[in-house]
Amino acid sequence: MHNKVKTLGKETIIYSITNIIVRGCSYLVLLIQTHRLTPSAYSIVTECYGTYLALGHVFYDLAMDMTYFRFVHQLGKQYTFNIIVTLLLLTSLVFSTLLISYTPEIAKISNQLAHIRYFYYMTGILILDTLLMIPYAKLRVEKKTFYFLSVKFLQAFANIIFSAILLYLPSCLRLIECIVANCLNVKVALNGLDAVFMANLLSNLTALAFLLPNFKGFYLIWHSHTLQLIRGYATTAFLTTLFFRINETLPLWLFLKWTPNNFYSTHTKEEIFGNFGASCKLTVCITLGIQAFKHAAEPFFFANSDRKEALRLYSQTMHLFILVSCFCLLIFSLNLNWIAKILIPKADYRHTVDTVPYLTFTHIVLGVYYNLSASFKLGNQPQYNVWISAFGSLVIGSMGLVWIPSLGHWGCVYAAMSGAVVMTLIGYYMGQRCYPIPYRKKGFLLILLTSLVVGHIPLWPSKLAFLGVGWAYILLHVAILAIFYGLAIGWKKSTNLKEE
């Protein structure tokens, strides 16, 4: 059993290391964008990517990646690949036709008529991301980790190159204007925001070119019986993903709608929104590890469900996740001030950095819920995920309406935290009734203690200033390391005693 946990840990580390590299590339893109765009302009990027594209991905993806993981071993790799890609091609065609047809109305409803062409960019991005999704999932199932991570890195690196070219060489945008005018007889004045979307499109095309060999053997297939088989699971997974994405995007949308225009005395609402978008991206320093864990854990849960020691295995996985996540969060929060200055050198974008520890903690709580939700999948009760995530959306929406008008962006933070905590508490209660797993209560206590101190940790070095800045940081790092080392040793000893 320890070998299974170690295998999961190794796969998570592999994904984490490469995700660090890939996310490092994305931060270079962030640096380029924030250097060339004003906070007000960047607020449009945050709105488009944080709300419209985020929700659009749910409808285009239809949770088919999770469905692929669920049925690939049951139906066969090539057959599952073919029928799911066929379905996605059909639905993408339908959704894209509707989006293009109704783009003027959508832009009017979202008060983005001045930026209507960005919706056409987003449609292209959604189509390409959908085409990339199942080949990436196929590589993960086949354990082609190096291939998977190489293409991911290439995609991220291409985004850097194209972003730098288009944002720092305006002549390239002028050239594109001339091509569009001559070929389509349409005059358009492109700007830095166009460059952001174009770079994304071009990087996706680059990745698709390198994933084309994974389409070998693909042909269009339609089998009603198979679609009927996967429909129940896919529908539940889709609704769960939809509500999760609503939980992520709802605070941002409510901020735009409910924050008074004159709420901030020294900045506009749009400038703070751009700042908040940059702060949300800072959380990736931790959430990339959570994402890597999910990449490794999704196939892991199903692969080990029939083992005798499965319950203890899932319990150990949860405890290890909490231990590592809380340790990383505290270390990250302790060093947040200088990390923010490196990753966001432009001071105009650092006005909301103090929210980052709380935003990161929210992601960790959702990671705990993700572990708990394994009970619903293994107990064949996935509908609980839908109900709980829907209730989480209700909590976030209600708390957002209460807090955002009076607290601004902090209202978004508190609303998101409230929804995550409520979902986790309900998930634990319902999961124990559905598929009882003997989780260690001390792990949940560690989460609670971390929540109480995480916001104050960035201030601790200043309180120990009498030791000198360097010694204060060394002392705090050693203290955190010693505490978690003791917790890890204690956990290992108690586990060995139980197995004996």
Side-chain angles (χ1 to χ4, degrees):
M1 182 169 60
H2 281 303
N3 290 334
K4 289 291 181 180
V5 176
K6 287 180 180 178
T7 300
L8 176 62
K10 288 178 181 178
E11 291 182 1
T12 301
I13 290 171
I14 292 172
Y15 283 118
S16 294
I17 292 173
T18 309
N19 271 339
I20 288 172
I21 298 173
V22 171
R23 292 297 182 177
C25 293
S26 71
Y27 270 117
L28 289 177
V29 174
L30 175 64
L31 290 176
I32 294 170
Q33 292 174 352
T34 54
H35 184 258
R36 300 296 295 174
L37 301 175
T38 64
S40 295
Y42 191 76
S43 70
I44 297 173
V45 177
T46 300
E47 182 177 358
C48 289
Y49 278 85
T51 55
Y52 309 135
L53 270 175
L55 287 173
H57 275 122
V58 178
F59 289 96
Y60 271 75
D61 296 349
L62 295 173
M64 283 296 121
D65 53 344
M66 289 184 282
T67 305
Y68 178 81
F69 289 130
R70 177 65 179 84
F71 291 99
V72 66
H73 298 295
Q74 179 180 342
L75 301 176
K77 293 180 181 179
Q78 190 62 54
Y79 179 79
T80 308
F81 181 88
N82 289 350
I83 196 163
I84 287 182
V85 172
T86 299
L87 178 62
L88 288 175
L89 287 173
L90 177 62
T91 55
S92 294
L93 177 63
V94 173
F95 290 146
S96 299
T97 302
L98 291 173
L99 276 177
I100 293 172
S101 301
Y102 291 97
T103 286
E105 287 78 7
I106 295 171
K108 185 177 181 180
I109 292 172
S110 58
N111 295 321
Q112 292 290 347
L113 278 173
H115 308 123
I116 190 170
R117 65 179 179 272
Y118 302 154
F119 288 89
Y120 297 115
Y121 292 139
M122 287 188 280
T123 302
I125 291 170
L126 289 169
I127 293 172
L128 291 173
D129 281 342
T130 303
L131 290 175
L132 293 171
M133 179 179 62
I134 301 303
Y136 275 136
K138 183 172 181 281
L139 293 177
R140 288 166 57 190
V141 167
E142 294 175 353
K143 301 294 183 182
K144 295 181 178 179
T145 308
F146 180 76
Y147 189 178
F148 172 86
L149 299 174
S150 296
V151 180
K152 279 284 187 181
F153 171 75
L154 180 66
Q155 183 179 5
F157 185 71
N159 199 12
I160 296 174
I161 299 301
F162 290 125
S163 295
I165 291 173
L166 294 174
L167 282 168
Y168 283 100
L169 298 175
S171 57
C172 294
L173 292 179
R174 304 292 83 80
L175 177 61
I176 295 173
E177 288 177 4
C178 293
I179 294 173
V180 172
N182 292 329
C183 296
L184 302 177
N185 198 27
V186 176
K187 290 186 178 181
V188 60
L190 302 178
N191 54 42
L193 289 172
D194 293 279
V196 171
F197 293 103
M198 288 180 180
N200 194 340
L201 284 167
L202 292 170
S203 64
N204 282 5
L205 284 170
T206 302
L208 184 60
F210 281 86
L211 287 174
L212 282 178
N214 289 277
F215 286 91
K216 184 179 180 180
F218 168 74
Y219 56 89
L220 296 174
I221 183 173
W222 191 268
H223 197 286
S224 300
H225 177 71
T226 303
L227 293 172
Q228 190 77 12
L229 175 66
I230 68 177
R231 185 183 65 176
Y233 180 86
T235 301
T236 303
F238 164 75
L239 291 174
T240 302
T241 306
L242 175 62
F243 285 117
F244 262 104
R245 199 55 55 85
I246 290 174
N247 293 348
E248 294 175 356
T249 60
L250 188 57
L252 296 176
W253 186 83
L254 290 175
F255 177 87
L256 290 172
K257 301 299 180 183
W258 287 92
T259 303
N261 290 327
N262 59 349
F263 183 84
Y264 299 98
S265 57
T266 56
H267 301 87
T268 65
K269 178 173 70 174
E270 290 73 22
E271 288 174 337
I272 293 299
F273 189 64
N275 270 260
F276 192 58
S279 296
C280 289
K281 288 194 174 182
L282 273 182
T283 65
V284 179
C285 292
I286 298 297
T287 55
L288 62 87
I290 299 174
Q291 182 185 8
F293 172 81
K294 289 182 178 180
H295 280 165
E298 283 171 3
F300 173 83
F301 284 138
F302 289 113
N304 292 281
S305 58
D306 295 330
R307 296 176 64 89
K308 292 181 179 179
E309 68 273 19
L311 295 180
R312 198 187 305 170
L313 189 64
Y314 298 143
S315 175
Q316 289 188 9
T317 301
M318 169 71 88
H319 196 74
L320 186 62
F321 173 82
I322 292 176
L323 194 68
V324 174
S325 298
C326 289
F327 171 75
C328 292
L329 173 58
L330 294 180
I331 293 294
F332 171 66
S333 300
L334 178 60
N335 297 279
L336 177 62
N337 291 329
W338 65 265
I339 290 175
K341 290 178 181 178
I342 293 175
L343 297 179
I344 310 180
K346 201 171 181 179
D348 291 343
Y349 281 91
R350 296 202 300 266
H351 297 298
T352 60
V353 165
D354 52 345
T355 63
V356 172
Y358 297 97
L359 292 170
T360 308
F361 175 76
T362 300
H363 283 290
I364 290 176
V365 173
L366 289 174
V368 173
Y369 174 77
Y370 174 79
N371 276 276
L372 294 171
S373 68
S375 296
F376 308 138
K377 298 173 185 177
L378 298 169
N380 293 319
Q381 299 290 342
Q383 68 273 13
Y384 287 152
N385 260 331
V386 178
W387 300 338
I388 294 172
S389 54
F391 187 72
S393 299
L394 180 62
V395 171
I396 290 173
S398 302
M399 294 298 98
L401 291 175
V402 171
W403 284 327
I404 289 175
S406 58
L407 298 176
H409 62 282
W410 274 105
C412 297
V413 176
Y414 295 143
M417 284 182 63
S418 299
V421 170
V422 169
M423 286 173 59
T424 301
L425 291 175
I426 297 176
Y428 176 79
Y429 174 73
M430 297 300 294
Q432 293 303 95
R433 294 184 61 184
C434 175
Y435 190 92
I437 296 175
Y439 292 117
R440 295 167 175 267
K441 305 301 188 296
K442 292 179 180 179
F444 300 117
L445 180 61
L446 180 60
I447 282 279
L448 176 60
L449 294 175
T450 301
S451 69
L452 297 176
V453 303
V454 68
H456 303 285
I457 284 184
L459 305 175
W460 286 359
S462 60
K463 294 181 178 180
L464 297 174
F466 62 91
L467 296 175
V469 176
W471 286 109
Y473 271 99
I474 291 173
L475 176 63
L476 291 170
H477 279 87
V478 170
I480 293 173
L481 182 61
I483 291 171
F484 278 85
Y485 178 77
L487 291 173
I489 294 298
W491 166 67
K492 186 175 181 180
K493 286 182 178 180
S494 63
T495 301
N496 290 337
L497 287 173
K498 287 184 178 181
E499 289 185 350
E500 291 173 2

